[in-house]
Amino acid sequence: DAGVTQSPTHLIKTRGQQVTLRCSPKSGHDTVSWYQQALGQGPQFIFQYYEEEERQRGNFPDRFSGHQFPNYSSELNVNALLLGDSALYLCASSLVAGAGGGGELFFGEGSRLTVL
Amino acid sequence: AQTVTQSQPEMSVQEAETVTLSCTYDTSESDYYLFWYKQPPSRQMILVIRQEAYKQQNATENRFSVNFQKAAKSFSLKISDSQLGDAAMYFCAVGGGSGNTGKLIFGQGTTLQVKP
């Protein structure tokens, strides 16, 4: 049973560029959440996708956008990259958002983004 | 707003000994869940233990147990018989109730070192 997979594992971009990160959820999961983890810090919630719609959003600017596909996989897009966007981006999957809370999140290994 | 505070940036324990990691939180939710996640150097976040706030009984998972003090908004993790493989960064997190499986608020983390 494949867990959460993310690609790419590492990437380097320059300021002003755009980046797309990809995530495939654990088999049977339909909800995908994205987190940003700066070095030495805890993850911060970016947004959550369920039924191909953004359901919740954290305190991130509109430069951060996402998409969920019919097969539940998801993309995170970041436009006009800033140096401060350098971080580990984690994808987490879970069962349906309305199922009653407390569901375990399964995390991928993350995509390490470096902005120069 | 929900907040999570881990006041111990680093902790150290001798192999086979017991260690307790501290966590305090604040939330306006009446129905919420608390989590401890482990993040080894491989980067993948792994759920260690989960506590439903409405349950008075402290959760236990093999060598891992929690001390949940709801009135004090405290949620500490006790690791018994520490093993070298327990060395990792540990994050405390709080999540809302029904319909909110994806959004967790994480603390800053505690790095646990296990000495042989």
Side-chain angles (χ1 to χ4, degrees):
Chain A
D1 179 22
V4 179
T5 58
Q6 293 187 241
S7 63
T9 55
H10 295 83
L11 69 166
I12 299 173
K13 294 285 187 178
T14 57
R15 281 180 298 176
Q17 285 189 313
Q18 178 264 343
V19 67
T20 297
L21 308 177
R22 296 176 177 82
C23 172
S24 292
K26 178 179 170 63
S27 178
H29 285 183
D30 56 10
T31 301
V32 173
S33 302
W34 287 92
Y35 287 80
Q36 180 194 66
Q37 186 178 18
L39 194 62
Q41 300 295 315
Q44 287 194 303
F45 176 76
I46 302 175
F47 43 52
Q48 176 192 64
Y49 276 85
Y50 169 63
E51 290 187 334
E52 303 179 48
E53 291 188 10
E54 183 182 296
R55 298 291 178 168
Q56 296 188 82
R57 189 178 183 92
N59 189 25
F60 280 81
D62 292 345
R63 297 187 298 109
F64 290 76
S65 64
H67 188 79
Q68 186 179 35
F69 299 94
N71 66 352
Y72 307 122
S73 66
S74 177
E75 289 182 349
L76 164 65
N77 300 292
V78 187
N79 295 322
L81 284 168
L82 304 174
L83 296 178
D85 294 332
S86 295
L88 180 67
Y89 288 85
L90 296 169
C91 172
S93 73
S94 56
L95 286 173
V96 61
E104 179 179 351
L105 289 185
F106 287 79
F107 285 84
E109 294 189 2
S111 295
R112 172 76 66 190
L113 171 65
T114 301
V115 182
L116 302 177
Chain B
Q2 296 174 312
T3 60
V4 176
T5 302
Q6 293 178 249
S7 59
Q8 305 156 316
E10 295 181 358
M11 291 285 284
S12 179
V13 64
Q14 208 70 32
E15 194 176 6
E17 297 295 310
T18 296
V19 65
T20 298
L21 307 184
S22 301
C23 172
T24 58
Y25 64 93
D26 194 14
T27 179
S28 57
E29 300 277 351
S30 57
D31 174 24
Y32 59 92
Y33 296 77
L34 295 159
F35 306 84
W36 278 97
Y37 276 87
K38 168 185 176 181
Q39 187 177 39
S42 66
R43 310 186 316 199
Q44 188 166 22
M45 301 276 281
I46 302 166
L47 178 66
V48 174
I49 200 165
R50 176 178 67 194
Q51 174 81 41
E52 293 90 337
Y54 64 85
K55 288 187 177 179
Q56 292 186 339
Q57 185 174 6
N58 288 326
T60 299
E61 196 71 41
N62 300 316
R63 297 183 296 107
F64 299 88
S65 62
V66 299
N67 183 4
F68 175 44
Q69 301 290 327
K70 191 171 184 178
K73 295 185 177 178
S74 171
F75 183 61
S76 61
L77 174 69
K78 185 171 81 172
I79 306 174
S80 304
D81 186 24
S82 297
Q83 300 176 359
L84 295 178
D86 294 334
M89 197 154 187
Y90 286 81
F91 292 96
C92 177
V94 61
S98 178
N100 191 17
T101 59
K103 181 179 180 181
L104 296 183
I105 304 301
F106 286 86
Q108 307 93 314
T110 297
T111 300
L112 178 65
Q113 182 184 26
V114 181
K115 298 179 179 177

